[in-house]
Amino acid sequence: TKIELAPDSSTEIVFFLGETANKEEALALIKRYRAADLDAVFKEATGLWDEILGTVQVKTPDRAMDLLLNRWLLYQTLVCRIWARAAFYQASGAYGFRDQLQDVMALSVSKSQITREHLLRAAARQFVEGDVQHWWLPPLGQGVRTRISDDRLWLPFVTAQYIEVTGDVGALDELIPFLDGAVLKPDEQESFFQPAVSAKTGTLFEHCARALETSLAVGAHGLPLIGAGDWNDGMNRVGVGGKGESIWLGWFLHAALSRFAPLADGRGEKTLSENWRQHAAKIGAALERDGWDGAWYRRAYFDDGTPLGSHGDAECRIDSIAQSWAVISGAAEKSHAATAMAAVNEQLVSRDDELVMLFTPPFNQTPLDPGYIKRYPPGIRENGGQYTHAAAWSVIAFALLGDGDKAGELFSILNPINHARTRAEIFRYKVEPYVVSADVYTESSHVGRGGWTWYTGSAGWMYRAGLESILGFRLKGTKLLIDPCIPKSWPGFEIAFQYHSAKYEIAVTNPRNVSRGVLSLSLDGDYLHPGVAQIPLSDDGAIHKVEIILG
C-alpha cells in the first residue's frame, strides 16, 4: 500500500489482525470491519476493559504498586490464565484444577460471573469417587487422574471465598455431573485418559462436600497424606509409598474445612459441619504437636517418618508455605505463627538481591528423594528460587500479623517494575517488567534473573495480597470492609470503587503513623462505628464519600 501525504496533511492507517479457519472467513471479517464504524468498535473494546480493570482503582504512595493493582495484574490473570491458558513457556491450553480456581478468586469483585462459571466448570471435572483431574484439555476433557492431594480442596475453599464476596449462596444449588473413569491401580501415580460423563449429578455443595470427605485420611502423625505431591508438585516422592504427610496441607485442609463448614450449617447439614470442625481441631492439634520444629513449622514427613523442613536438614531446612499458611489458616498458635514468620524474614528474604525464596537451602546432594524438584538446578524455580506464588502468601501472612512494613516491603520486592528501574537491572532481570514472573533465580551466576513469566498464578495472588491484605479492601456481599495493614510511613491512600451504578471514593489517612487500626469511619459525612469498619453499599447511581482515619 502506498500512501502519499501532501504538506500539512495526515491520514489514519488501521491494521486488522486476526485468525480464522479459512481464507473465506478471513475475507468476510475484513469486509465486515471495513464497513464498520471503527471508532465505535474500538470504544466498545476499551469500554469492556475499563469495566473489568477499572472496577477498583487505587492511589498509594507506591506508584509501582498502583500500576500493577490498577490494571496489569488483573489483565495478566484474565487474558493469560483464564482465557488463553498459554504463554511463551506453556502453550497447552489446558485447565489446571487447582490453578484456575486460585486465579478466579482475584476476579470475584470485578467479574464475579467468570468466577462462578469456573467453579461449575471445575466441579464438572470431579470423579464420582471425589478426586479430580489434575489438569484437562477442552473441549473433549482428556486429562490426568493423579494422587496429588490438594487439588480437590481448592473447590470448597474457592467456593466459600466466592460466596463471601458475592453473597451468591444460590450457586451451591447448581447441578453438575460427575466423571466416570478407571480408578488408579495401587502401583499407579497417574493416568492420562478421556473420562466419561457420569449419569450421576450433584449440586455444587455436594461436589465440595465430597472433595472434603475424601481428603480426611491422615498418617502416623495425624497429618494429611501428601499423596503424589501437594501444592508443590515437585515433591512427588515424599509420600510415594502412601504414608508421607504434608504439614502445609494440614494448614490448607484446616482452612478449607473451617471456611466451608458455615455453608453446611446454612443448609441444615449439621452432621457434616460438626464432623469437619472436629477434624479441623484434630488437625490443628497434630500440626502443633508434630509440625512445630522449635522456631518454625516443618514442611512434611517422608513415608518412613523422616521430617522434611527441619532445623537439622542440610537442604530444605525451612519452607515458606508451611509458615505462611500457619498464619493464613488462622489455626496456628499465635506465638508460633509470629516466630515462624520471623524465621521467614530472617532466612528466606534476601534484601541485597531483592528476592523472597521458597525454601533454603536448595536440594542438591541429599540422599533423600523428595521428587522431581531435585531435577531443577539449585536456585532455579521451585528448587530454592523465588517462587512468586508462595512469596505472595508471605505478604498476606505478614499483613495478617499486623506487620504492614514487612508486607509492603515484600510486595515491593516482588513487584516486577522494581526489577527494571535501571539499565543494569534490566540486563539482570531479562524479562518483562509489566507482568509477574513465576520465578526469579537465586543460583549464583544468575541471581535476580526472571524465569517463567505471564502464565503464573502469582498474578492473581499478588493482586489479592496488595488490594485485600495491604489496602484492606474486602467486599462482603452488600458491605465493604476496609481493614488496611500498610507501611507506617504511608500518610494514607485512596480507593475508587465502582459498585454497579454507584461509585465509592474512599480516602484513608494515617496521621499517627500506624500499620493497622481504624480510629474513625464516616460515609457521606455520617459517622459509622469503626470497630467493624464495614460500609453498607447501595446501587443508587450516586457518588459516595468514605473517610477513614487510622490510629
Side-chain angles (χ1 to χ4, degrees):
T1 299
K2 289 184 178 180
I3 298 172
E4 293 185 9
L5 293 179
D8 298 322
S9 66
S10 66
T11 190
E12 182 181 55
I13 304 171
V14 178
F15 290 87
F16 186 89
L17 299 175
E19 179 181 356
T20 60
N22 52 55
K23 181 178 178 180
E24 289 72 26
E25 289 182 13
L27 290 172
L29 269 183
I30 292 170
K31 184 178 180 180
R32 170 186 164 188
Y33 281 103
R34 277 181 173 166
D37 179 347
L38 294 184
D39 288 334
V41 172
F42 184 66
K43 185 177 180 180
E44 180 183 358
T46 55
L48 170 68
W49 283 114
D50 288 341
E51 177 190 343
I52 297 171
L53 306 180
T55 298
V56 181
Q57 294 286 289
V58 308
K59 185 178 181 181
T60 75
D62 184 346
R63 176 63 176 151
M65 173 185 276
D66 296 350
L67 288 170
L68 281 194
L69 290 182
N70 284 340
R71 294 184 84 87
W72 277 106
L73 290 174
L74 274 187
Y75 179 81
Q76 180 178 355
T77 299
L78 181 56
V79 301
C80 186
R81 296 286 295 177
I82 307 301
W83 287 349
R85 300 184 303 284
F88 301 122
Y89 306 92
Q90 181 170 337
S92 69
Y95 287 101
F97 196 88
R98 77 158 76 99
D99 298 332
Q100 276 73 29
L101 277 172
Q102 291 177 77
D103 297 328
V104 296
M105 287 193 288
L107 293 160
S108 294
V109 173
S110 61
K111 204 67 176 173
S112 62
Q113 185 60 29
I114 291 177
T115 308
R116 192 183 205 273
E117 289 170 358
H118 188 69
L119 283 169
L120 305 184
R121 181 186 296 119
R125 310 318 300 173
Q126 183 182 38
F127 293 98
V128 292
E129 292 81 7
D131 61 323
V132 301
Q133 289 181 300
H134 181 57
W135 54 259
W136 74 91
L137 290 161
L140 299 180
Q142 308 100 316
V144 61
R145 192 173 196 172
T146 74
R147 299 187 188 278
I148 290 175
S149 53
D150 72 306
D151 281 338
R152 54 190 176 269
L153 288 174
W154 288 102
L155 183 65
F157 184 86
V158 176
T159 297
Q161 186 263 355
Y162 165 77
I163 292 173
E164 177 182 299
V165 171
T166 65
D168 180 17
V169 182
L172 293 173
D173 293 318
E174 293 282 354
L175 281 171
I176 311 134
F178 291 92
L179 295 177
D180 276 326
V183 176
L184 292 174
K185 299 173 184 177
D187 60 342
E188 274 188 309
Q189 293 301 306
E190 62 180 43
S191 176
F192 176 82
F193 62 95
Q194 182 177 330
V197 177
S198 173
K200 183 176 179 59
T201 63
T203 62
L204 177 58
F205 176 85
E206 290 167 337
H207 279 263
C208 292
R210 192 165 300 197
L212 291 170
E213 288 292 290
T214 54
S215 300
L216 303 182
V218 298
H221 299 90
L223 297 166
L225 298 175
I226 193 171
D230 51 19
W231 172 84
N232 194 332
D233 294 348
M235 293 184 176
N236 61 310
R237 295 192 60 80
V238 172
V240 69
K243 296 180 180 179
E245 300 163 278
S246 169
I247 287 157
W248 170 81
L249 185 62
W251 300 122
F252 181 50
L253 175 59
H254 191 290
L257 291 168
S258 301
R259 297 179 192 192
F260 201 77
L263 297 177
D265 290 334
R267 298 173 69 87
E269 298 281 0
K270 297 293 184 182
T271 301
L272 275 177
S273 64
E274 185 58 30
N275 288 342
W276 291 340
R277 288 188 175 97
Q278 289 179 5
H279 191 77
K282 291 178 182 178
I283 291 289
L287 287 162
E288 292 296 343
R289 182 184 65 245
D290 290 315
W292 183 243
D293 196 59
W296 58 81
Y297 290 97
R298 300 175 186 125
R299 177 62 176 84
Y301 282 96
F302 285 89
D303 286 315
D304 65 359
T306 301
L308 175 63
S310 177
H311 68 279
D313 291 336
E315 297 172 6
C316 192
R317 181 176 60 249
I318 175 172
D319 189 307
S320 74
I321 69 172
Q323 323 314 321
S324 297
W325 275 85
V327 179
I328 295 170
S329 68
E333 198 274 323
K334 289 184 178 180
S335 65
H336 284 177
T339 301
M341 291 307 297
V344 168
N345 180 61
E346 179 182 344
Q347 300 190 46
L348 296 176
V349 179
S350 174
R351 289 170 172 83
D352 290 341
D353 295 324
E354 294 187 293
L355 294 167
V356 184
M357 292 172 279
L358 175 60
F359 61 76
T360 197
F363 290 112
N364 191 16
Q365 302 296 329
T366 177
L368 298 172
D369 183 11
Y372 76 76
I373 192 170
K374 280 180 67 175
R375 298 178 196 166
Y376 293 122
I380 304 297
R381 289 187 62 77
E382 289 102 322
N383 192 12
Q386 173 181 294
Y387 211 66
T388 313
H389 192 139
W393 289 343
S394 294
V395 174
I396 294 170
F398 278 119
L400 286 170
L401 290 176
D403 194 336
D405 287 334
K406 287 193 180 67
E409 180 191 19
L410 263 61
F411 189 97
S412 182
I413 288 174
L414 302 183
N415 191 326
I417 295 171
N418 294 330
H419 290 268
R421 295 165 297 193
T422 66
R423 184 178 179 85
E425 288 175 336
I426 289 168
F427 278 91
R428 182 176 88 145
Y429 192 49
K430 296 183 184 294
V431 293
E432 307 93 327
Y434 44 84
V435 290
V436 177
S437 179
D439 59 301
V440 183
Y441 302 166
T442 60
E443 195 276 332
S444 58
S445 59
H446 297 287
V447 171
R449 177 171 178 168
W452 182 309
T453 59
W454 278 104
Y455 196 70
T456 165
S458 305
W461 278 109
M462 270 198 71
Y463 183 77
R464 297 189 65 203
L467 183 64
E468 299 177 20
S469 298
I470 295 176
L471 303 185
F473 178 100
R474 298 188 190 93
L475 182 61
K476 294 177 179 283
T478 59
K479 293 182 179 179
L480 179 62
L481 173 67
I482 302 291
D483 182 20
C485 185
I486 59 174
K488 292 175 183 176
S489 61
W490 279 17
F493 62 90
E494 299 173 8
I495 300 177
F497 173 41
Q498 188 70 43
Y499 178 72
H500 304 299
S501 65
K503 185 174 183 180
Y504 285 79
E505 297 179 347
I506 303 160
V508 180
T509 56
N510 185 23
R512 301 187 183 186
N513 300 114
V514 299
S515 281
R516 166 166 283 168
V518 175
L519 186 64
S520 72
L521 168 65
S522 66
L523 171 62
D524 296 328
D526 295 328
Y527 176 80
L528 301 178
H529 194 283
V532 181
Q534 286 194 351
I535 302 157
L537 301 172
S538 301
D539 181 9
D540 58 4
I543 296 177
H544 298 279
K545 302 284 187 181
V546 178
E547 294 183 354
I548 296 172
I549 299 175
L550 303 181

